[in-house]
């Protein structure tokens, strides 16, 4: 993923040792994106191979990494880049609901109901976590929680839309399928 | 502990014969002091009807509605009216305040209707306004406040005189996001800090998630609810 660019962004500010990069990366991402040391050094090796960072020996013979001109230019491209293609709208929640609709309205409503209760509980949890953090000291952590809250809200809103559409689908076919419906609600 | 509000197998139908509508169908639910419950579900699923039943505004067709352990159905019309004045507060989506009365007078109104002396009514109303974070400029008229402030005044009026049950029907309906957040946060704190039992109807997951418990309705029934301790969710729907 974008770990390469994240490291370059930290190096843009000043040269770093490997272990410093790990710590600063994790702080900047609010603690939700842990890196292992091996991953940091592998990434730095590749960046060095590609000429995007340079290495010299610092205190205690440790490797001190700096960004090169080519690295700064690659980083600049990354800040400006936008996704070329819209990502395909595929996720597991959507797959579940669409498959359940294939299986019949009752099953679909059931899946919507369960997913919604579970997601709402998740949202409640995040909301609590959020009010615990609201002293504003760690902006990164707050923004990460905000992002999670807003995404859960979006999924819940989508489930509401699903429910309304399934119910109106149901009303539209009421006459032809009423026998079936009477049986399935027993 | 006696629940503040309890529905026991409530049914509410409107009309009869071929035009009969079952707005609420066999709902049982109980709400403890200090508990904040959100009710959500598609339009027409019976949310407002449930609130009307809770406040004794409508009688149920079957079942029992208990407020502080007392059956609302068995009450005389006078007792029910007294219940609404002294125990149960209502907040609606909009049109909550009397425009010709000041903020303070609006909040004093339910007490004055109940025959409380003006001096006492004034002090209770000032307390209630303070609890919603408004205690300045109380002689201004509703039109001079922002939408969010107006709704806070309405909440103060619904709570004045130590009423322990607050029923709110889409209280954020006419507000923008920031004001809505503040109103819902206020409700959450009134429940947790002052022990008021609150039932709020909303169609916004964002606001529902502030509640201790979220109840999902469909077709007049409860289809699932979140558990107050955020554990496994209880789902009535999966048993059908
Ligand atoms: N006084 C009434 N007479 C006849 N039918 C009614 C009456 N009040 C409500 N209903 C019907 O009862 C059902 C539930 O209505 P209710 O107002 O409780 O829904 P709601 O969940 O609050 O919907 P919304 O989200 O749109 O406010 C609806 O079908 C409605 O048409
Ligand atoms: Mg309604």
């Amino acid at each position: 993923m974008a770990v390469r660019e994240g490291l370059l962004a930290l190096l843009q500010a000043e040269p770093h040792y490997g272990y410093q990069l790990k710590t600063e990366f994790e702080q900047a991402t609010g603690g939700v994106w842990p890196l292992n040391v091996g991953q940091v050094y592998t990434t730095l090796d590749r960046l060095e191979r590609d000429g995007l960072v340079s290495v010299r020996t610092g205190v205690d013979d440790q490797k001190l990494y700096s960004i090169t001109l080519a690295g700064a230019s690659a980083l600049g491209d990354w800040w400006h880049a936008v996704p070329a293609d819209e990502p395909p709208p595929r996720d597991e929640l959507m797959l579940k609901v669409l498959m359940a609709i294939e299986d019949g309205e009752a099953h679909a409503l059931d899946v919507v109901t369960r997913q919604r209760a579970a997601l709402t509980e998740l949202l409640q949890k995040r909301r609590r976590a959020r009010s615990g953090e609201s002293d504003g000291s760690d902006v990164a952590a707050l923004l990460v929680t905000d992002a999670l809250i807003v995404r859960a809200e979006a999924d819940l809103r989508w489930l509401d839309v699903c429910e309304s559409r399934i119910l109106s689908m149901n009303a539209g076919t009421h006459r032809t399928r009423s026998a079936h419906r009477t049986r399935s609600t027993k | 502990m006696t629940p503040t509000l309890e529905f026991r197998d409530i049914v509410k139908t409107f009309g009869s014969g071929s035009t009969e509508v079952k707005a609420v169908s066999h709902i049982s639910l109980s709400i403890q002091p200090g508990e904040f419950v959100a009710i959500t579900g598609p339009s027409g699923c019976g949310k407002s009807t449930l609130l009307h039943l809770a406040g004794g505004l409508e009688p149920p067709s079957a079942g029992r509605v208990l407020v502080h352990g007392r059956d609302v159905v068995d009450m005389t019309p006078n007792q029910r009216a007294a219940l609404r004045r002294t125990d149960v507060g209502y907040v609606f989506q909009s049109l909550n305040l009397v425009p010709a009365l000041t903020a303070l007078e609006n909040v004093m109104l339910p007490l004055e209707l109940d025959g409380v002396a003006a001096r006492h009514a004034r002090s209770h109303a000032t307390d209630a306004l303070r609890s919603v974070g408004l205690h300045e400029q109380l002689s201004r008229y509703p039109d001079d406040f922002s939408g969010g402030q107006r709704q806070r005044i309405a909440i103060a009026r619904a709570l004045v005189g130590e009423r322990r049950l607050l029923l709110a029907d889409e209280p954020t309906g006419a507000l923008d996001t920031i004001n809505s957040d503040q109103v819902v946060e206020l409700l959450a704190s009134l429940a947790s800090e002052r022990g008021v039992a609150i039932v709020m109807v909303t169609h916004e997951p964002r606001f529902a998630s502030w509640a201790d418990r979220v109840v999902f309705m469909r077709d007049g029934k409860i289809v699932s609810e979140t558990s107050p301790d955020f554990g496994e969710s209880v789902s009535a729907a999966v048993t059908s």
Side-chain angles (χ1 to χ4, degrees):
Chain A
M1 289 250 295
V3 173
R4 266 166 68 92
E5 287 79 5
L7 297 185
L8 284 178
L10 293 171
L11 289 172
Q12 175 90 315
E14 55 179 342
H16 283 72
Y17 294 106
Y19 65 89
Q20 288 179 314
L21 286 171
K22 169 181 155 60
T23 316
E24 287 189 24
F25 184 94
E26 288 172 350
Q27 273 170 3
T29 50
V32 295
W33 199 327
L35 296 181
N36 63 50
V37 181
Q39 190 182 2
V40 173
Y41 285 107
T42 321
T43 310
L44 286 169
D45 285 347
R46 293 206 186 114
L47 286 169
E48 188 189 356
R49 182 198 62 199
D50 297 343
L52 304 182
V53 307
S54 63
V55 187
R56 67 190 141 95
T57 305
V59 290
D60 291 339
D61 282 346
Q62 296 194 69
K63 287 178 166 182
L64 184 63
Y65 296 87
S66 309
I67 195 165
T68 62
L69 270 180
S73 144
L75 180 64
D77 290 347
W78 181 68
W79 290 123
H80 287 107
V82 290
D85 295 307
E86 230 182 297
R90 290 179 205 143
D91 65 58
E92 191 176 339
L93 179 63
M94 193 181 283
L95 183 67
K96 252 182 217 168
V97 173
L98 296 180
M99 286 302 170
I101 289 176
E102 286 298 298
D103 198 34
E105 293 138 13
H107 188 192
L109 285 175
D110 212 67
V111 167
V112 167
T113 302
R114 271 171 188 266
Q115 296 296 321
R116 187 163 43 201
L119 258 175
T120 302
E121 280 177 4
L122 191 68
L123 190 53
Q124 285 174 308
K125 258 189 233 169
R126 286 173 182 171
R127 176 86 63 207
R128 313 257 139 167
R130 177 76 164 72
S131 45
E133 286 162 1
S134 57
D135 59 346
S137 53
D138 187 351
V139 179
L142 275 179
L143 287 175
V144 168
T145 316
D146 282 337
L148 296 175
I149 290 176
V150 172
R151 282 172 204 173
E153 282 173 7
D155 280 342
L156 281 165
R157 215 182 275 274
W158 181 70
L159 286 172
D160 283 347
V161 173
C162 290
E163 181 179 50
S164 303
R165 288 209 199 281
I166 294 165
L167 288 173
S168 60
M169 215 164 78
N170 200 349
T173 55
H174 183 254
R175 203 168 300 153
T176 49
R177 303 187 65 169
S178 59
H180 163 75
R181 287 208 319 136
T182 315
R183 237 183 300 122
S184 66
T185 51
K186 281 276 153 65
Chain B
M1 200 172 354
T2 310
T4 304
L5 171 66
E6 197 178 351
F7 293 111
R8 288 196 194 151
D9 204 20
I10 287 294
V11 174
K12 178 67 184 179
T13 52
F14 292 107
S16 59
S18 61
T19 60
E20 188 184 276
V21 177
K22 210 175 214 182
V24 169
S25 175
H26 301 289
I27 281 190
S28 296
L29 188 66
S30 79
I31 289 140
Q32 302 298 327
E35 195 180 15
F36 180 18
V37 174
I39 298 187
T40 184
S43 183
C45 72
K47 305 181 294 292
S48 296
T49 304
L50 201 61
L51 282 197
H52 294 160
L53 293 166
L57 294 176
E58 302 251 19
S61 309
R64 289 154 69 81
V65 181
L66 303 158
V67 176
H68 303 303
R70 287 154 57 216
D71 194 333
V72 176
V73 181
D74 291 342
M75 292 180 184
T76 65
N78 277 343
Q79 287 171 323
R80 258 199 300 278
L83 177 81
R84 286 199 296 271
R85 281 198 312 270
T86 59
D87 286 329
V88 185
Y90 257 107
V91 179
F92 300 99
Q93 182 167 338
S94 55
L95 300 174
N96 276 298
L97 303 174
V98 182
L101 299 180
T102 66
L104 185 65
E105 287 164 351
N106 263 287
V107 178
M108 288 167 64
L109 192 61
L111 297 177
E112 296 199 308
L113 291 176
D114 210 28
V116 174
R119 191 165 51 88
H120 285 117
R122 184 177 295 274
S123 109
H124 285 308
T126 310
D127 285 348
L129 281 159
R130 189 174 298 118
S131 74
V132 301
L134 283 174
H135 40 274
E136 283 164 7
Q137 295 154 310
L138 301 185
S139 53
R140 289 200 317 202
Y141 291 87
D143 282 348
D144 304 334
F145 288 92
S146 74
Q149 289 170 327
R150 277 202 291 276
Q151 207 58 321
R152 274 148 64 194
I153 298 170
I155 291 169
R157 191 181 57 182
L159 288 177
V160 72
E162 296 299 303
R163 279 177 285 181
R164 318 306 298 163
L165 175 59
L166 181 67
L167 305 170
D169 200 345
E170 300 272 7
T172 60
L175 304 177
D176 65 18
T177 310
I178 301 275
N179 275 308
S180 298
D181 273 342
Q182 286 173 356
V183 163
V184 180
E185 232 177 312
L186 170 66
L187 293 178
S189 74
L190 288 170
S192 65
E193 284 159 31
R194 294 168 52 106
V196 180
I198 298 180
V199 187
M200 173 183 74
V201 164
T202 181
H203 61 271
E204 281 284 334
R206 176 188 186 83
F207 304 132
S209 72
W210 280 99
D212 299 315
R213 184 153 54 114
V214 184
V215 173
F216 300 90
M217 286 181 67
R218 184 189 303 144
D219 269 348
K221 300 186 195 70
I222 293 177
V223 288
S224 76
E225 57 185 86
T226 65
S227 42
D229 59 352
F230 315 128
E232 287 281 304
S233 78
V234 187
S235 175
V238 293
T239 59
S240 65

